Amino acid sequence: MILVESIHHSRNGKEVLRGVNMSLDRGEVLALLGPNGAGKTTLAKHLNGLLKPTKGRVLVDGIDTRKSSVAELSRKVGYVFQRLERMFFTGRVFDEVAFGPGSLGMDENEVKERVEWALSLVGLKGYENRKPLSLSGGEMRKLAIACVLAMGTDYVILDEPTSDLDGRGFKAVVELVKRLRAEGKGVLLITHDVELALEVSDRVVVLFNGRIAFEGKPEGLLNLNLWEYGLRETRWIELMRRSLIEGH
Ligand SMILES: Nc1ncnc2c1ncn2[C@@H]1O[C@H](COP(=O)(O)OP(=O)(O)OP(=O)(O)O)[C@@H](O)[C@H]1O
């Protein structure tokens, strides 16, 4: 379980997080929504110790992130960043995915198995010898996810995983998130996409101006004025809302 206890975070004199309480359990998908600049990424970076709270604390399976290193925490919490440009540093897809498990001290066969498993999970089997930087935006996103999955962490943070994916890629992410949950991982899904949150999450948190504006079941989003929170209304969402009100 990851526990976020009344955290504040200030940057350049500005309070970006203003007293946030949140939890993420294993086997749970939590969607984190909110407008640009609300503090979602800042909050998520606290979960693997990349950022430390100015006030309050974060416990990862009981470990206080202030007393632990990022290296140690990254064995528990994997993070697929929103921006991928500077993420890849090898010349081959296989090597890119193998780097993480290799650094955990696994033997060659075990690493190979992990790499193949992670690549097939994201739909990149057969891409082993491609150059990471020659991939399309959506394929790079899948590769970044595979790199984190290969680490075998108990918690996975996906920061805007569908932002550069087409319809098929979107569906693949939905399936992947469901699979991670079935494997007992805790998934934090940062997104602007209400449809994605409704489709895969068990619980949602809406962050607004560094504070939690809503926390509850995904269907609860349908009672909010989504525009107010920088979230897009779609026809499908309107239909969901109506069918809920009419009780079908
Ligand atoms: N490295 C930084 N230096 C200074 N300010 C920063 C830095 N990173 C983020 N901020 C500021 O902190 C606030 C929250 O940013 P954050 O990236 O956490 O928001 P977000 O909700 O993830 O937004 P988005 O949906 O646009 O990704 C913003 O006002 C942003 O400008």
Side-chain angles (χ1 to χ4, degrees), residues 11-12 14 16 34-43 82 160 192:
R11 216 179 231 160
N12 304 333
K14 184 187 165 205
V16 178
N36 294 132
K40 303 180 296 294
T41 301
T42 304
L43 172 58
Q82 184 177 9
E160 297 284 355
H192 287 106

Side-chain angles (χ1 to χ4, degrees), residues 62-230:
I63 301 169
D64 189 327
T65 58
R66 279 172 309 194
K67 295 179 186 131
S68 181
S69 66
V70 176
E72 194 185 335
L73 289 167
S74 60
R75 290 172 179 234
K76 288 186 170 291
V77 186
Y79 199 133
V80 183
F81 292 99
Q82 184 177 9
R83 297 197 193 96
L84 304 173
E85 304 93 49
R86 270 167 292 159
M87 169 159 178
F88 306 121
F89 60 98
T90 73
R92 248 176 104 221
V93 163
F94 183 96
D95 298 337
E96 205 63 52
V97 185
F99 179 80
S103 70
L104 295 178
M106 283 176 209
D107 69 42
E108 214 176 299
N109 279 336
E110 216 175 333
V111 169
K112 193 163 180 292
E113 246 171 54
R114 279 275 183 112
V115 174
E116 294 305 334
W117 168 80
L119 285 177
S120 67
L121 215 60
V122 300
L124 285 185
K125 214 165 162 42
Y127 282 67
E128 289 79 354
N129 293 318
R130 288 278 302 269
K131 285 191 178 66
L133 296 177
S134 75
L135 301 177
S136 75
E139 289 163 349
M140 280 191 201
R141 170 86 37 204
K142 293 176 188 173
L143 175 57
I145 296 174
C147 290
V148 166
L149 295 185
M151 293 289 284
T153 54
D154 288 331
Y155 304 96
V156 177
I157 299 168
L158 300 172
D159 200 343
E160 297 284 355
T162 54
S163 58
D164 41 18
L165 297 181
D166 60 17
R168 240 169 83 200
F170 178 92
K171 188 112 189 30
V173 168
V174 166
E175 292 311 314
L176 177 74
V177 170
K178 287 182 178 167
R179 177 128 182 220
L180 294 177
R181 171 173 48 202
E183 286 181 8
K185 296 187 191 296
V187 182
L188 182 70
L189 186 61
I190 304 177
T191 184
H192 287 106
D193 192 331
V194 175
E195 293 186 16
L196 178 65
L198 287 169
E199 183 137 1
V200 290
S201 70
D202 301 303
R203 204 153 56 85
V204 301
V205 163
V206 178
L207 201 63
F208 189 74
N209 268 339
R211 287 203 178 96
I212 290 183
F214 173 81
E215 195 261 322
K217 291 223 168 292
E219 300 78 56
L221 289 172
L222 299 171
N223 298 324
L224 301 179
N225 181 353
L226 297 174
W227 288 110
E228 220 172 275
Y229 299 107

